[in-house]
Each structure stands twice: as C-alpha cells, then as structure tokens.
Amino acid sequence: ALTVSSCGDDSGPTAPLFQAKVMAVHASPDAPAVDLLVDDAIAGTNLGFPNATPYLEVRAGTRNVKVNVAGTATTVIEADLPLTAGAAYTVFATDVVADITPLVLADDLSAPATRKAHVRFVHLSPAAPAVDVAVTGGPVLFSNTAFKGYSAFTPVDAGTYDLEVRLAGTSTVVLPLPGISLAAGKIYTVWARGLVGGAGAQALGAQIIVNN
C-alpha cells in the first residue's frame, strides 16, 4: 500500500536564471496514462497513476499547462499557471476521471535543520472522509485533512515511524502506514491515493515523494 517516488534536485548551482521547477503527479485513480505539455511543448509522456515526474525546469511567467490522454490530443486538464523564478511547484491531477481537476501546490524546499526531515500530507483519495495522520497508537501529526486538503511542510526528527491514517477526530484506523523511513535532510510529500473499497492499483494506499 506504500510506494516511493524519488524526485532528485536536478537544478544544481548552474540552473538557468528565470526558471521555475514543476513536478507533475498523476493522482486520479481511474484516469488513463497522460502526457504533460507546457506551452504546447511535450514535457513528459505516458505518466500513469500514481507516479510523478522529476522536477522539470520551466521558464518563469504564466505558462499554459495541459494534461492530455497519453498519445492523443485529448486534453483532460488545462490551466494557465503563474510560475515565479526560483520557485518549485507540484501539480497534482486529482479526483476521478469524470471530475479531474488540478491541485497546484508551492513547494518550500528550504533545507531541514540538522537531524530533521520535512514532511507534508496531501489527501487525494476521492470520496474518502477527512482524516488524521498519527503515530501508531500515539499523537496526531496532521489533523482533520479533507479531500484535496494539505499541510505545510513540517519538521520532524529523522527516523523510522509507524504511522496510521484515522477517521478525523477518532481512533478508527483506515490505513496503517508501517515503517516510514524519514532521512535527515530530506523533504517528503506523503499523499493518500486510490479509492475507498478500490482494488488493485485503485486500492486505498499512500504514496511518498522525495522532493529533494
């Protein structure tokens, strides 16, 4: 139920000026694979659920972004995104395919303090109720997060955690997340994916993106 995507820092100290970084995440559980176009130029192809692209260098300013069914000209999402030079963003394709919409988040990639990691939670399981994310049998880390809701990047001690997703405000566990390893200096996005009652690739689960 838990898989990891790594999106390394591909900008480096010689990254061109006046560019932003944009990551695309396929978070629509019943949508087909997609292509990503920026200003009608292909930036990524055949991205399937629940995968993510690396950060892509994109010219700053207002950019037209399209998400097309892979290998076709059929656009399922189109948005004009204002991108700030030097900033980083994640664009999630969310909801079931009949109601697919983008969720655009600004990514704070500031380096964590010594022996710390940064983690945020994004709820992207359509029709699932609001949830809390907590240490197993312990305190809540992210509370009362509804569908398409998200937290800020939050500093935590580096280490390995057993976590659980609970119905908000209760002790009812809907998804156990054992053995979550958070390395010092790393930045993570944990997002709830899939469908309540879903099977196979559409089963309720969680995905971890390493943002740096």
Side-chain angles (χ1 to χ4, degrees):
L2 180 69
T3 52
V4 179
S5 299
S6 177
C7 296
D9 181 3
D10 56 1
S11 58
T14 59
L17 297 176
F18 311 119
Q19 290 195 330
K21 299 201 297 184
V22 179
M23 179 196 306
V25 181
H26 190 321
S28 176
D30 63 343
V34 298
D35 298 333
L36 177 68
L37 290 81
V38 178
D39 293 337
D40 289 322
I42 293 178
T45 60
N46 203 33
L47 179 66
F49 174 81
N51 297 316
T53 69
Y55 278 113
L56 307 171
E57 296 287 352
V58 178
R59 187 162 50 91
T62 299
R63 306 268 71 84
N64 178 261
V65 175
K66 293 177 182 174
V67 177
N68 288 359
V69 176
T72 78
T74 301
T75 299
V76 293
I77 293 177
E78 182 172 4
D80 291 324
L81 303 182
L83 305 176
T84 300
Y89 304 86
T90 301
V91 180
F92 296 90
T94 74
D95 216 331
V96 293
V97 68
D99 298 309
I100 193 167
T101 54
L103 175 65
V104 182
L105 302 184
D107 297 346
D108 181 357
L109 302 184
S110 301
T114 303
R115 294 187 292 278
K116 295 285 187 178
H118 288 176
V119 184
R120 71 177 170 192
F121 175 67
V122 188
H123 184 336
L124 294 177
S125 176
V131 298
D132 299 333
V133 179
V135 176
T136 299
V140 172
L141 301 177
F142 306 109
S143 64
N144 196 28
T145 307
F147 178 53
K148 296 186 184 179
Y150 55 92
S151 72
F153 282 109
T154 302
V156 298
D157 292 334
T160 299
Y161 293 83
D162 291 333
L163 303 179
E164 58 191 20
V165 180
R166 306 171 183 166
L167 293 178
T170 78
S171 60
T172 302
V173 177
V174 294
L175 182 65
L177 302 174
I180 305 300
S181 182
L182 304 177
K186 293 294 186 179
I187 302 170
Y188 300 90
T189 296
V190 179
W191 59 277
R193 59 171 171 83
L195 300 168
V196 175
Q202 296 182 1
L204 184 66
Q207 194 88 356
I208 298 182
I209 295 169
V210 184
N211 291 86
N212 67 333

